Amino acid sequence: MAESPFFDNEISSLIHNFDRVYVITYGDSPNTAKEIENKYNITINTTRMGIKSIAYCPAVVEALSDSRIKEEIDYIFTRYHGKTKILCVGYALYYITFAISIRKRLKKILEENQNNDIYLYSFWMSKAAFSLVMLNYEKYTNVQLIASRAHGYDVYEERNSANYLPFRKLIAERMDKIFFVSNEGKNYFQKYLKERCIRANILDVIHMGVDNSDYIKKFHEKDEMVIASCSSVIKIKRLDIIIDFIQIIHSKIKVRWLHIGEGNLMKEMKSIADRKLLNLQFQFLGNIDNKEVLSIYRENDVDFFINMSDSEGIPVSIMEAFSLGIPVIARDVGGIHEVVNESNGFIVKEMDKKSLENVADKVIGCFINEEYYSKLSKNAVDMQRKNFNKKINNLKLVRAIIET
């Protein structure tokens, strides 16, 4: 969505390298969209999926006669069974409805720019990417490229309901380029395509990035360790494991925990924290403007950042922590090992209590050892500067889009 930090991460580079930028977004209110239009001098079209989507039913029924749609439905009926099959069909129909809902707007943009080169780009390899590949471009010969980013939830089927993501075959075969945020994601998708005998065009890896920070965390002796986390409060982010880890740390040393983000498990996680984290300070700060997150880390003198998700690409939140020189404690999933290692943080390979205690001991050892902490802090900054610099990586993305 246009108000998200992900959008803000790339839009400044896009508007400086293309004559005009059009954004089709979902979930934003008209007022929010207008504010963003004025801020960046771009054109935003919003679409909201709600009860009015019923109006698209005739078009959805018509779309079911498309051979590409039939192939996907056949795939679902072959692979899935029972209630899972029904869920998958519903998911596919949702993609189709979304594509139909923005088709008219997309065509209008193409019609208005018939004398200009057009580059179509989806930030997620999900319903937006599907919407781009479903349009017939025969009459729009000025369309130079159709491309998409690919992150985590839009790559790994097991992260989604019923272990299914709609229209992977169609997206892979019709996209000119797909840019993965991690090597792990690209390798996973290549294996998936091979198993399904699907051909794809160019699959590349272009990391996300963050701005370099002027502030770098410095070691100093203190009585209280401060650990921060930043994510949606949803099942896959496993705040319950973070709470268990904080509890272990607290049994050995004084600690304070800050969490940034909201989600549908907020009430449950607060309840678990109240029960397990007795006699220590913790705060659920809710959603914070992306530009304020690093200020919170500075103001609270955060010592470590923690991520215990079940699945990840390469989280921007880890890049942000590294930009300040904050070592990271992270679970070894997805592309995490491409950014966090023993030189700049702590990798958690097992989730049992003994393994968590071993990592906790290492973290405490680092917290009280200036040479050890300073080494990890410096290496964290170096990792961000060399591999996850927003300006450099966004330029790579723009060049990859333009160089068709």
Side-chain angles (χ1 to χ4, degrees), residues 219 222-223 225 227 245-255 303-304 329 346 356-370 372-373 376:
F219 175 90
K222 57 180 182 175
D223 296 329
M225 180 190 297
I227 299 178
F245 188 82
I246 298 295
Q247 185 182 38
I248 293 170
I249 291 283
H250 181 55
S251 69
K252 302 169 184 287
I253 192 172
K254 187 178 181 182
V255 61
D303 301 294
F304 300 96
I329 308 156
F346 305 89
L356 292 177
E357 286 179 341
N358 287 338
V359 175
D361 287 339
K362 292 179 182 178
V363 171
I364 293 170
C366 177
F367 176 68
I368 62 177
N369 185 312
E370 181 175 3
Y372 188 10
Y373 188 93
L376 264 59

Side-chain angles (χ1 to χ4, degrees), residues 238-281:
R238 298 307 300 268
L239 265 69
D240 57 320
I241 299 178
I242 292 178
I243 291 170
D244 287 342
F245 188 82
I246 298 295
Q247 185 182 38
I248 293 170
I249 291 283
H250 181 55
S251 69
K252 302 169 184 287
I253 192 172
K254 187 178 181 182
V255 61
R256 179 160 58 97
W257 172 45
L258 309 171
H259 180 77
I260 297 171
E262 293 182 352
N264 61 0
L265 293 184
M266 180 69 86
K267 184 177 180 180
E268 180 181 342
M269 290 303 109
K270 283 183 176 180
S271 177
I272 293 174
D274 285 336
R275 188 174 73 253
K276 291 188 174 184
L277 304 182
L278 300 174
N279 302 316
L280 73 86
Q281 273 192 291

Side-chain angles (χ1 to χ4, degrees), residues 31-283:
N31 290 337
T32 299
K34 195 65 181 176
E35 290 175 7
I36 296 168
E37 277 189 324
N38 294 335
K39 178 180 178 181
Y40 293 106
N41 191 28
I42 59 178
T43 301
I44 294 184
N45 288 272
T46 60
T47 182
R48 298 175 72 87
M49 301 294 288
I51 191 66
K52 292 183 179 179
S53 300
I54 294 174
Y56 300 122
C57 285
V60 172
V61 172
E62 181 182 349
L64 293 175
S65 63
D66 187 311
S67 60
R68 298 167 296 179
I69 303 297
K70 285 182 177 179
E71 184 178 2
E72 184 73 9
I73 300 300
D74 288 342
Y75 169 71
I76 293 172
F77 273 73
T78 300
R79 180 179 176 186
Y80 301 95
H81 305 281
K83 292 182 180 179
T84 303
K85 181 190 299 183
I86 296 172
L87 181 63
C88 293
V89 170
Y91 202 1
L93 291 176
Y94 172 65
Y95 266 50
I96 296 168
T97 304
F98 181 85
I100 291 169
S101 74
I102 71 169
R103 183 168 58 191
K104 185 176 180 180
R105 288 168 234 200
L106 184 54
K107 284 184 176 180
K108 185 174 185 292
I109 293 170
L110 294 173
E111 294 287 350
E112 291 175 349
N113 292 275
Q114 290 192 56
N115 296 323
N116 302 313
D117 289 341
I118 300 291
Y119 300 86
L120 300 171
Y121 168 63
S122 172
F123 186 79
W124 303 98
M125 193 174 66
S126 55
K127 55 184 178 289
F130 170 69
S131 302
L132 294 183
V133 301
M134 274 300 290
L135 202 62
N136 185 347
Y137 294 101
E138 287 185 4
K139 62 181 291 189
Y140 305 111
T141 56
N142 58 329
V143 173
Q144 304 298 310
L145 179 83
I146 308 173
S148 179
R149 274 271 197 199
H151 300 255
Y153 93 93
D154 52 346
V155 175
Y156 302 101
E157 282 201 320
E158 59 269 20
R159 282 186 58 172
N160 295 268
S161 297
N163 193 33
Y164 168 70
L165 282 168
F167 299 103
R168 301 292 92 182
K169 183 176 188 295
L170 186 58
I171 291 172
E173 291 180 343
R174 296 211 69 197
M175 278 287 167
D176 295 309
K177 294 181 181 179
I178 300 174
F179 307 118
F180 294 83
V181 301
S182 69
N183 289 300
E184 182 71 24
K186 178 185 174 183
N187 293 338
Y188 172 97
F189 198 63
Q190 285 179 319
K191 182 180 178 182
Y192 171 86
L193 297 181
K194 184 177 181 180
E195 290 173 352
R196 287 191 59 187
C197 300
I198 298 172
R199 293 182 180 181
N201 291 309
I202 296 175
L203 306 180
D204 201 358
V205 175
I206 299 180
H207 295 305
M208 298 285 289
V210 296
D211 291 319
N212 296 346
S213 172
D214 294 330
Y215 166 85
I216 301 298
K217 163 76 177 177
K218 299 297 182 184
F219 175 90
H220 60 94
E221 292 184 3
K222 57 180 182 175
D223 296 329
E224 180 185 63
M225 180 190 297
V226 182
I227 299 178
S229 51
C230 180
S231 72
S232 299
V233 186
I234 56 178
K235 183 178 180 181
I236 198 169
K237 296 303 181 180
R238 298 307 300 268
L239 265 69
D240 57 320
I241 299 178
I242 292 178
I243 291 170
D244 287 342
F245 188 82
I246 298 295
Q247 185 182 38
I248 293 170
I249 291 283
H250 181 55
S251 69
K252 302 169 184 287
I253 192 172
K254 187 178 181 182
V255 61
R256 179 160 58 97
W257 172 45
L258 309 171
H259 180 77
I260 297 171
E262 293 182 352
N264 61 0
L265 293 184
M266 180 69 86
K267 184 177 180 180
E268 180 181 342
M269 290 303 109
K270 283 183 176 180
S271 177
I272 293 174
D274 285 336
R275 188 174 73 253
K276 291 188 174 184
L277 304 182
L278 300 174
N279 302 316
L280 73 86
Q281 273 192 291
F282 63 88
Q283 292 176 277

